[in-house]
Each structure stands twice: as structure tokens, then as C-alpha cells.
């Protein structure tokens, strides 16, 4: 819904086998694949690297749910993981069973880093 408020066309995905929940486009321009993740409070969320590789047309929409508050919306270009930090982590798990993943450490400590990805700030740059 937020994308439509900013003039984007939204195309839903029939199948979510490639970590694409929907596709958006504004004014006949670039198409963006969007993966949506939601989390209650401060927590860790991840996306499998294999299913959502880095490309300039991929976005991760994050919805943070806090009790008794409006949902907080963030939009993170997958290219942000080219420069991992305490918020955005790259885990490869070499020699282990877990598959490589892009992670988001949502915490009070990382809140300033997360704020740079607030939906309203990022959407206007697309």
C-alpha cells in the first residue's frame, strides 16, 4: 500500500519461490523486485543469498511491529549489503549446514543505522 501512495504500480507475485513478494515500478521506469520481511520488536531476520542475490533492482521492505505502536517501515536496497555493518550482516556459514544469508540485526543499538533506511527517505530516491 505504501508504494502506491508514492505513485508506484504494484504487481503481485503468483509464486514466492524466488523471494520476490511483489514487483513495483514508477512512471514506466525501472522494475524492482521486493522481498518483505516483518518482525516483532527487536530481532534478527534474514534472506537466503541464493534466492535473492545482489542486484540494483532488488529491495528488502522491512516492517517492524512494536506493541501499542504503528508499524515502522523500512526499505533497504540489497546493494547495501556490499558494505556490511552491525545492522546489515553477510553470513556464509562455510562448512556448516546453514545456507548463506543476508541478515538484519534489528536492535536498539542499531536503530540509528536502521533509520537511514526509513521507507520515506529511501522511496523518494527510487
Amino acid at each position: 500500500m505504501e508504494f502506491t501512495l508514492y505513485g508506484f504500480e504494484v504487481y503481485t507475485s503468483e509464486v514466492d519461490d524466488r523471494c520476490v513478494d511483489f514487483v513495483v515500478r514508477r512512471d514506466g521506469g525501472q522494475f524492482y523486485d521486493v522481498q518483505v520481511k516483518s518482525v516483532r520488536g527487536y530481532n534478527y531476520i534474514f534472506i537466503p543469498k541464493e534466492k535473492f542475490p545482489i542486484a540494483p533492482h532488488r529491495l528488502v521492505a522491512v516492517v517492524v511491529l512494536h506493541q501499542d505502536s504503528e508499524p515502522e517501515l523500512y526499505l533497504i536496497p540489497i546493494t547495501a549489503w556490499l558494505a556490511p555493518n552491525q545492522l546489515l550482516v553477510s553470513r556464509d556459514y562455510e562448512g556448516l549446514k546453514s545456507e548463506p544469508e543476508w541478515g538484519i540485526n534489528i536492535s536498539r543499538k542499531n536503530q540509528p543505522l536502521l533509520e537511514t533506511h526509513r521507507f520515506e527517505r529511501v522511496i523518494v530516491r527510487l
Side-chain angles (χ1 to χ4, degrees), residues 39 42-47 62 64 74-77 80-81 83-91 101-118:
V39 63
Y42 298 109
N43 218 324
Y44 177 78
I45 50 180
F46 69 93
I47 301 126
V62 178
V64 180
Y74 301 93
L75 192 58
I76 307 172
W81 274 269
N85 55 32
Q86 289 192 357
L87 173 69
L88 305 175
V89 297
S90 173
R91 296 198 167 130
E101 65 193 31
W102 308 116
I104 308 171
N105 286 318
I106 299 176
S107 67
R108 286 188 206 282
K109 179 182 173 187
N110 291 336
Q111 192 64 37
L113 292 170
L114 186 58
E115 283 302 314
T116 65
H117 300 288
R118 187 159 293 270

Side-chain angles (χ1 to χ4, degrees), residues 3 16 19-22 34-38 59-63:
F3 281 97
D16 184 17
C19 280
V20 175
D21 292 312
F22 55 89
V34 181
Q35 169 66 46
V36 179
K37 292 292 185 182
S38 62
L59 305 168
V60 179
V62 178
V63 182

Side-chain angles (χ1 to χ4, degrees), residues 28-83:
Q30 169 77 47
F31 282 96
Y32 294 94
D33 296 340
V34 181
Q35 169 66 46
V36 179
K37 292 292 185 182
S38 62
V39 63
R40 291 191 182 279
Y42 298 109
N43 218 324
Y44 177 78
I45 50 180
F46 69 93
I47 301 126
K49 287 184 177 183
E50 179 183 330
K51 298 214 179 210
F52 212 67
I54 290 181
H57 66 278
R58 293 197 168 106
L59 305 168
V60 179
V62 178
V63 182
V64 180
L65 305 166
H66 293 287
Q67 192 168 350
D68 301 325
S69 297
E70 292 290 319
E72 296 175 358
L73 304 175
Y74 301 93
L75 192 58
I76 307 172
I78 197 71
T79 54
W81 274 269
L82 290 170

